[in-house]
Amino acid sequence: MDSKSKPMTVFSIESVLSQFSIKKLWEIRSKNEVLRNISDKMDPNKTNKWPVKLIKIDGNEISKPDGFTTEGHVTIKGFRQTRWMVPQIFRIIDSSQEVLEKSLIPVAESFCKKMASIEISSSESVTDKYIKTAFNLINNSPKLQVLSLHVNNLSERHLLDVLNRLKLQENGKDTLSLSLNSSTELTSRFISEVLKTGLPNLNILVKAPHPGEALVVNRAAIVQFFENYEPAENVPGINRSLIFDTMEETLVESIFDDLKRMHPTTSNVYLENGALMFCTHGPKYWIRFEVWFPGR
């Protein structure tokens, strides 16, 4: 038999399919069940991807992004859906260990590569295993700038683990926005370790407590946030914000007094649109601590 007439092997079909644009491949998959089955078994990290703005997994359902198919939600099935997409923004809410292990971790290398924002949220307590598994998404997100960890009772150990996974200096990041639940153990050690990275733009938001959740306030961590404010020579300036959705006003005033003693000539206190702010600034830095008081 002439070599030109030999039937294509599954391997050679996969090689051809991997060269197709994602839109063309999706058209082929919709019309040919055999090719759909072959493409679904290809290495998920070696196929073309569909860039999308937002993907949300809520429980065991995954959103259908614009342009990918009709809008709505469908039950997630392993990594059958996640293998084809590269989102900029990803939200996972009240999901399970199984979804993490079967639908996200196997494709994390490609799924996370352009991710600028990740939200991990749970209305219920989660296990340490769940947290560690979810944090594996961070390792594969070199472009990550916004991280929302809306999980109760995260410890200092968890936050230091996140910092290690972010690899701020190694990835050349200059911006990080971090959103945390009120019960998170935000310590002076964690703040110190973040500041040691020399990150120019840092924003930390501590959300108001949910029903039954406590607000943990570590004043030493807040004071630490105002240390190490002179930027390195190659950094144009430092801009930092530490924002609490709520706090007792007497405690806020007491912390303000501590900060005024640290910065007697370069600080100001503002009340603006319901937010009470302490700011210290200089030619190359601007640092603020802010607490919201709705109705003021």
Side-chain angles (χ1 to χ4, degrees):
M1 181 182 290
D2 187 0
S3 60
K4 293 183 179 180
S5 62
K6 289 182 179 179
M8 293 186 72
T9 64
V10 170
F11 176 78
S12 60
I13 294 174
E14 287 183 358
S15 299
V16 172
L17 291 176
S18 67
Q19 303 304 313
F20 280 51
S21 71
I22 187 64
K23 289 186 178 181
K24 184 64 177 178
L25 179 58
W26 209 251
E27 290 176 7
I28 293 172
R29 291 177 78 259
S30 66
K31 297 174 183 177
N32 189 305
E33 185 176 353
V34 173
L35 291 180
R36 179 168 65 248
N37 291 333
I38 292 175
S39 64
D40 279 345
K41 294 176 182 177
M42 292 164 58
D43 184 339
N45 294 310
K46 295 181 180 179
T47 56
N48 289 320
K49 308 295 175 182
W50 200 306
V52 296
K53 183 71 174 178
L54 168 69
I55 288 293
K56 182 175 74 170
I57 294 178
D58 193 339
N60 68 341
E61 292 192 332
I62 185 169
S63 60
K64 296 179 179 178
D66 294 341
F68 192 78
T69 181
T70 56
E71 294 184 16
H73 293 77
V74 294
T75 300
I76 193 165
K77 299 176 181 178
F79 54 83
R80 183 175 178 182
Q81 296 104 335
T82 51
R83 63 171 295 142
W84 300 109
M85 296 179 285
V86 181
Q88 292 180 2
I89 302 170
F90 177 59
R91 303 177 65 201
I92 181 165
I93 303 167
D94 290 333
S95 202
S96 66
Q97 182 77 29
E98 182 180 10
V99 168
L100 283 171
E101 292 180 348
K102 293 186 177 181
S103 302
L104 293 170
I105 300 307
V107 296
E109 181 183 340
S110 59
F111 186 74
C112 300
K113 66 181 181 180
K114 294 186 178 180
M115 215 175 279
S117 174
I118 296 177
E119 177 187 344
I120 302 170
S121 296
S122 178
S123 57
E124 303 291 337
S125 296
V126 296
T127 65
D128 198 58
K129 181 181 179 181
Y130 180 92
I131 292 171
K132 288 181 179 179
T133 307
F135 283 2
N136 281 324
L137 300 175
I138 300 171
N139 298 48
N140 292 281
S141 305
K143 298 182 181 295
L144 187 63
Q145 291 187 323
V146 179
L147 180 59
S148 301
L149 299 175
H150 298 157
V151 178
N152 289 348
N153 302 313
L154 288 180
S155 67
E156 177 189 73
R157 174 175 56 84
H158 291 131
L159 294 183
L160 292 173
D161 184 23
V162 166
L163 184 59
N164 182 57
R165 293 171 186 268
L166 284 168
K167 300 177 181 177
L168 297 173
Q169 293 170 310
E170 183 178 326
N171 290 327
K173 290 190 175 78
D174 62 3
T175 300
L176 176 64
S177 292
L178 190 61
S179 179
L180 305 168
N181 271 14
S182 65
S183 57
T184 301
E185 189 184 12
L186 186 65
T187 64
S188 57
R189 180 187 175 193
F190 170 71
I191 295 296
S192 177
E193 292 300 319
V194 174
L195 300 188
K196 284 179 183 178
T197 67
L199 189 71
N201 303 297
L202 174 64
N203 301 288
I204 300 177
L205 169 66
V206 179
K207 293 169 61 67
H210 300 294
E213 184 186 19
L215 172 62
V216 177
V217 178
N218 186 324
R219 65 188 300 149
I222 298 171
V223 171
Q224 184 70 46
F225 195 75
F226 285 81
E227 299 284 356
N228 302 331
Y229 52 84
E230 290 293 346
E233 291 184 3
N234 60 336
V235 176
I238 283 178
N239 191 327
R240 291 187 212 142
S241 298
L242 177 58
I243 303 171
F244 281 73
D245 273 349
T246 187
M247 191 183 295
E248 290 185 6
E249 190 167 353
T250 53
L251 179 56
V252 174
E253 292 173 350
S254 174
I255 294 172
F256 277 12
D257 288 341
D258 288 346
L259 296 176
K260 287 175 187 175
R261 284 190 287 271
M262 289 176 59
H263 304 278
T265 61
T266 59
S267 62
N268 299 95
V269 175
Y270 303 94
L271 177 61
E272 184 176 313
N273 298 324
L276 194 58
M277 294 179 282
F278 176 91
C279 301
T280 183
H281 50 83
K284 297 184 69 175
Y285 67 91
W286 178 275
I287 308 173
R288 65 175 178 163
F289 164 52
E290 176 179 323
V291 182
W292 285 90
F293 292 98
R296 286 195 56 167

